C-alpha cells in the first residue's frame, strides 16, 4: 500500500469516527425519540465504516474534536436537519478520494458508496417541526424584507429624522407582522391542510418581527439617517444571504438563483420607495 493511499484511507477513517461521535451526541440531545433512533442508526453505520477501513490501515484514528463540538452546536442553534445536511455537503467533497481509493481497493469504494446512499435515506426520515413550517417562515421573512426596506427607504428621504423614521418603521413593522400573522392563520384554516394554523401564524409573525427589529435598530442607534439606511440595506442583504444559504442546505434547493431573485425584489422596492419619498418631500415641501 502506497503512502498516499494510506493517508487517504486514514482521512476517510477520521471522518467516519468523527461523524459517529457527532451522531451519537445529537441522538442524546434531541427530544424526538424517532429522530434519535435514526441518528443512532446512522452513527452505527459510520462506526462500521471506520472498522471496515481499519482492516486496511491497521491504525486507530482519533476523531476531530473541533468538528464534533461545531456540528453539535449547529444542531442546537440552527436545527438538526441543517447540521446534518451541512455534514453531508462536506462528505461530498470526498468523492475524488473515493475515486482514487477505488482504483486500488474497489471493494472499499463500493461499501462506502452503498452506505452513503443508505445514510441519505435515513436523513430524509428525520422530521423537524421548524422545517415543516418553513413556508410560513419564508412568508414572514420575505414580506418583512420587501415591505420594511421599502418603507424605511421612503421614510428616510421624506422625513430625514432618524428617531422619527425608527418609530414609524417599528409601528409599521409590528402592525404588518400582526396583520400577516392573522392572514396566515386564516389561510391555513381555509386550506384545511395538515399544518397547525396557530403554529403557522406564529412562525410567520416571529420571523416578521425579528426582521423588523434588525432593520429598524440602526435608526435608534445612530443620528445620520443616510448612514442608517445604508446599514439597514446591508443588514437586509446579509439576512437574505444567510437565510437563502440555510434554506439551500436544509431543503436541498439552489442557492444562487433564489438569493439573486430575493435580493433584486428587495432592492427594487427600496429604490422605488426612495423615489416616492423624494417626490413626497418635494411636492409637500416637508421640513421636519
Amino acid at each position: 500500500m502506497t503512502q498516499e493511499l494510506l493517508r487517504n484511507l486514514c482521512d476517510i477513517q477520521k471522518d467516519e469516527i468523527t461523524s459517529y461521535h457527532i451522531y451519537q451526541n445529537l441522538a442524546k440531545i434531541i427530544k424526538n425519540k424517532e429522530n434519535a433512533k435514526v441518528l443512532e442508526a446512522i452513527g452505527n453505520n459510520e462506526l462500521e465504516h471506520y472498522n471496515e477501513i481499519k482492516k486496511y490501515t491497521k491504525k486507530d484514528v482519533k476523531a476531530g474534536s473541533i468538528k464534533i463540538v461545531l456540528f453539535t452546536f449547529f444542531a442546537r442553534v440552527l436545527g438538526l436537519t441543517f447540521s446534518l445536511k451541512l455534514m453531508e455537503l462536506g462528505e461530498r467533497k470526498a468523492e475524488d478520494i473515493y475515486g482514487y481509493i477505488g482504483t486500488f481497493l474497489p471493494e472499499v469504494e463500493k461499501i462506502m458508496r452503498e452506505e452513503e446512499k443508505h445514510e441519505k435515506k435515513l436523513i430524509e426520515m428525520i422530521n423537524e417541526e421548524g422545517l415543516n413550517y418553513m413556508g410560513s417562515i419564508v412568508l414572514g421573512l420575505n414580506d418583512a424584507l420587501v415591505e420594511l426596506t421599502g418603507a424605511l427607504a421612503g421614510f428616510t428621504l421624506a422625513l430625514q429624522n432618524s428617531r422619527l423614521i425608527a418609530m414609524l418603521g417599528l409601528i409599521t413593522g409590528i402592525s404588518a407582522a400582526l396583520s400577516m400573522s392573522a392572514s396566515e392563520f386564516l389561510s391555513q384554516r381555509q386550506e384545511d391542510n395538515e399544518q397547525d394554523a396557530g403554529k403557522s401564524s406564529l412562525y410567520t409573525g416571529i420571523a416578521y418581527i425579528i426582521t423588523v427589529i434588525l432593520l429598524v435598530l440602526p435608526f435608534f442607534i445612530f443620528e445620520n439617517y443616510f448612514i442608517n439606511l445604508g446599514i439597514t440595506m446591508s443588514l437586509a442583504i446579509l439576512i437574505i444571504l444567510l437565510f437563502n444559504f440555510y434554506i439551500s442546505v436544509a431543503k436541498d434547493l439552489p442557492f444562487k438563483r433564489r438569493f439573486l431573485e430575493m435580493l433584486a425584489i428587495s432592492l427594487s422596492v427600496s429604490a422605488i420607495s426612495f423615489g416616492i419619498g423624494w417626490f413626497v418631500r418635494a411636492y409637500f415641501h416637508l421640513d421636519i
Side-chain angles (χ1 to χ4, degrees):
M1 183 180 296
T2 65
Q3 286 299 313
E4 185 176 2
L5 178 58
L6 179 61
R7 186 174 64 253
N8 283 326
L9 286 171
C10 287
D11 288 340
I12 295 292
Q13 194 178 350
K14 182 175 182 178
D15 284 341
E16 299 300 331
I17 195 62
T18 300
S19 296
Y20 164 73
H21 286 292
I22 292 173
Y23 287 124
Q24 294 301 309
N25 279 358
L26 298 183
K28 292 175 183 176
I29 65 174
I30 64 170
K31 296 178 181 179
N32 188 304
K33 292 182 179 180
E34 293 301 318
N35 286 347
K37 289 179 182 178
V38 173
L39 290 170
E40 287 178 0
I42 300 173
N44 290 333
N45 283 339
E46 299 287 6
L47 186 60
E48 289 175 9
H49 299 171
Y50 172 84
N51 289 324
E52 192 67 34
I53 297 171
K54 184 179 176 181
K55 294 176 183 177
Y56 297 91
T57 63
K58 311 296 184 185
K59 290 184 177 182
D60 287 312
V61 179
K62 290 184 178 180
S65 55
I66 295 177
K67 188 175 179 180
I68 293 171
V69 171
L70 192 62
F71 278 93
T72 303
F73 172 77
F74 283 160
R76 286 182 182 273
V77 177
L78 299 174
L80 179 61
T81 303
F82 175 81
S83 181
L84 296 181
K85 292 291 180 72
L86 196 61
M87 281 178 62
E88 190 180 320
L89 284 177
E91 289 174 358
R92 287 175 192 170
K93 295 179 181 179
E95 286 293 318
D96 291 338
I97 297 178
Y98 288 169
Y100 175 77
I101 292 173
T103 58
F104 299 94
L105 300 169
E107 65 275 15
V108 174
E109 183 189 16
K110 183 180 178 181
I111 291 170
M112 297 300 295
R113 293 192 184 279
E114 286 177 352
E115 291 299 334
E116 191 176 280
K117 291 179 182 178
H118 182 53
E119 285 171 19
K120 287 180 181 178
K121 289 181 180 178
L122 287 173
I123 290 175
E124 294 300 323
M125 292 169 58
I126 290 174
N127 180 29
E128 191 169 10
E129 183 181 271
L131 287 181
N132 294 335
Y133 291 92
M134 191 54 69
S136 299
I137 296 172
V138 170
L139 178 65
L141 189 71
N142 280 353
D143 199 80
L145 284 169
V146 172
E147 182 173 338
L148 205 65
T149 52
L152 291 173
F155 292 157
T156 296
L157 202 57
L159 304 177
Q160 297 187 5
N161 182 307
S162 287
R163 187 56 58 91
L164 186 57
I165 294 166
M167 289 189 293
L168 285 175
L170 196 59
I171 293 169
T172 301
I174 292 176
S175 298
L178 295 173
S179 174
M180 181 60 64
S181 184
S183 297
E184 176 68 0
F185 177 81
L186 294 174
S187 174
Q188 293 295 334
R189 286 290 294 270
Q190 289 176 359
E191 290 177 9
D192 194 28
N193 57 26
E194 295 180 0
Q195 289 190 1
D196 184 292
K199 285 186 177 180
S200 293
S201 65
L202 185 63
Y203 276 110
T204 299
I206 290 174
Y208 204 118
I209 289 174
I210 290 174
T211 308
V212 166
I213 292 171
L214 289 174
L215 296 181
V216 171
L217 190 60
F219 289 92
F220 279 110
I221 298 174
F222 306 109
E223 290 294 330
N224 190 300
Y225 40 85
F226 283 119
I227 290 177
N228 290 336
L229 182 61
I231 295 172
T232 291
M233 296 308 298
S234 298
L235 283 172
I237 294 171
L238 182 61
I239 291 169
I240 292 170
L241 176 69
L242 294 176
F243 180 73
N244 278 281
F245 174 71
Y246 180 91
I247 290 294
S248 68
V249 172
K251 303 281 282 184
D252 292 321
L253 296 172
F255 168 75
K256 186 176 180 181
R257 181 181 63 79
R258 293 173 61 88
F259 168 69
L260 293 176
E261 184 180 77
M262 195 170 171
L263 181 64
I265 292 171
S266 293
L267 293 181
S268 297
V269 171
S270 297
I272 294 170
S273 299
F274 196 79
I276 293 172
W278 174 84
F279 173 78
V280 168
R281 185 175 182 83
Y283 185 81
F284 291 101
H285 305 289
L286 294 177
D287 189 18
I288 299 175

